[in-house]
Amino acid sequence: PNRQTLILQNFSIIMAYDLELAKKLTIITPLYGRHEMTLRHLLYLEAVRCPFKVYITDGSFDDKNFEIIEANKHRFPHVDYEYHRYPAGAGLLELFKRMADTLAKITTPYVIRYDNDDFLDMDVVLQCVAFLEQDSKHEYIACMGQIHPFTTHKNQCFGKINVLYKPRYFWSDYELDSAEKRLRGCDDENEASVMRRQVSQTAYAEAVKQGYWLDCFLGLYPSTLGKTKILPSVYKYKQMNCTIWHAEDNNRITQFLTTDEIAETQREIGAVIESIGLTGERAETLKKQLILDWFGMQDPKTLHQFVEFLFYLDTSYFRKVLKLYSWFTVSWLRRLPATIRYLYFNNSKTL
C-alpha cells in the first residue's frame, strides 16, 4: 500500500524483478474509450518499471486512446507495449472477439487481462507466474491474489484515493478437486487471474464460437478446466468508481433485464454445467444456485426494481452500492456490481 501511494504521487521507484520469469507472461489491456485512464495506466506501468510485455487492444469508436498514447509515449519509455487498433465495437461479445484474436497471436505461456482502471502489484503477479511454473502436473490453470477496492476523490482519474476499502478476500473454493464444488464458490474475478494462455484462449474462443454476449460463461468456465491457486497477498487494487452511471441510462438497464438477457445468462451457465458432465437434478440445482449468485434474484421484475432504485438514488452507482453493503448482508449482493457494471458503453466510457 505504501508503494502504491508513492506511485500515485508520481514518485518513480526502481524495482528488482526476475526478468527471465517476467518473459513468460503477457499483459493484455483491452480499451474502449476512457483515454485518460489509459494514460494513467501507462504512467503507472512506467513508475513501477513493469517487467512484462503489454499488448493493448483498442476497440474504441474514436482515436483518443491512440492520440493520448502517441502524445505521451516519451513519458513511459520503459514500458514494453504494443498498440493494436481493432474495428470499433461496443459490448462484451466484441471484447471477447478481440481477446480471442489477441490470445491467438501471443506466445507466452501465461497471460493476464489487466483493465486500465486498476493497479497490479507486479511482485505478486510474478509470484503467481512462479507458482504456475513449478506446477509441473498442470493441476492449476491459474493463480491470483486478493483484491483491494478503492475509489478516487470525486471520481477523478488522477484524483487522490478517496476510500481504500477492506480487501476482498478469496478463499479455497477455487482449489477444490471437484469442478462442481469449485463452481459453487466461484467468482467472476477468476477471469482476470494470471492464467495459462491455452486455458484463456480456449475460454474466449468458446465464448465467441457460441455467441455469448454476457460475462457469465467466462467468469465460470475456467474453473471447470482446473484449479486456481489463491495467494494471501493483494495483487490487484481495483477502482470501484471509475464509471459514472446516470439516471437516463435506465433504458439500458431495461434492455439488460429483459427476459431474453436473463435467458442468455441461463444459457451460458447451462453450458458451463454441461461441460463438467452434470445432468438431472444435480445440474438443475447448481444452475439455480449460480443464477441466484450471479443476479441475486431470479425474478427479472424484482431485479429491475432493485437496480432502478440504485440508479435513481444518485448518479454514482457504485457509491450507493457500497453503502448498501451495510444494509444487505446476503452473499449475492457482492456479485451484482461486477455483473451490471460491464453493460453500459458509449464514446467516452469503457467496460
Side-chain angles (χ1 to χ4, degrees), residues 1-13 40 43-44 47-48 75 119 157-161:
N2 291 334
R3 183 176 66 189
Q4 297 292 337
T5 300
L6 288 173
I7 289 166
L8 291 175
Q9 291 174 353
N10 294 324
F11 286 89
S12 185
I13 301 173
R40 189 185 77 172
L43 292 176
Y44 168 76
V48 296
R75 301 174 67 185
F119 298 105
C157 178
F158 290 94
K160 295 180 180 179
I161 290 180

Side-chain angles (χ1 to χ4, degrees), residues 268-325:
E268 293 187 18
I269 290 176
V272 171
I273 295 172
E274 184 180 330
S275 71
I276 62 174
L278 278 187
T279 57
E281 186 177 343
R282 284 176 64 194
E284 285 302 311
T285 299
L286 180 58
K287 181 178 178 181
K288 289 178 181 178
Q289 179 186 331
L290 292 176
I291 292 171
L292 186 66
D293 284 343
W294 211 267
F295 288 110
M297 305 175 192
Q298 289 175 280
D299 180 356
K301 182 178 179 181
T302 304
L303 179 59
H304 182 278
Q305 291 173 346
F306 174 71
V307 177
E308 187 179 50
F309 167 69
L310 295 181
F311 273 65
Y312 279 106
L313 279 175
D314 199 303
T315 58
S316 180
Y317 169 68
F318 286 112
R319 189 179 306 135
K320 295 304 179 183
V321 169
L322 289 167
K323 286 183 178 180
L324 284 171
Y325 279 133

Side-chain angles (χ1 to χ4, degrees), residues 190-203:
N190 191 28
E191 180 188 345
S193 59
V194 174
M195 191 171 290
R196 297 188 189 277
R197 176 178 50 82
Q198 297 94 327
V199 173
S200 185
Q201 187 173 356
T202 298

Side-chain angles (χ1 to χ4, degrees), residues 11-42:
F11 286 89
S12 185
I13 301 173
I14 305 301
M15 305 304 236
Y17 299 119
D18 184 339
L19 297 181
E20 287 303 311
L21 190 62
K23 290 179 182 178
K24 297 180 179 292
L25 178 136
T26 300
I27 289 172
I28 304 175
T29 299
L31 302 180
Y32 182 89
R34 204 169 56 180
H35 55 282
E36 287 190 341
M37 282 290 182
T38 300
L39 176 59
R40 189 185 77 172
H41 175 66
L42 288 165

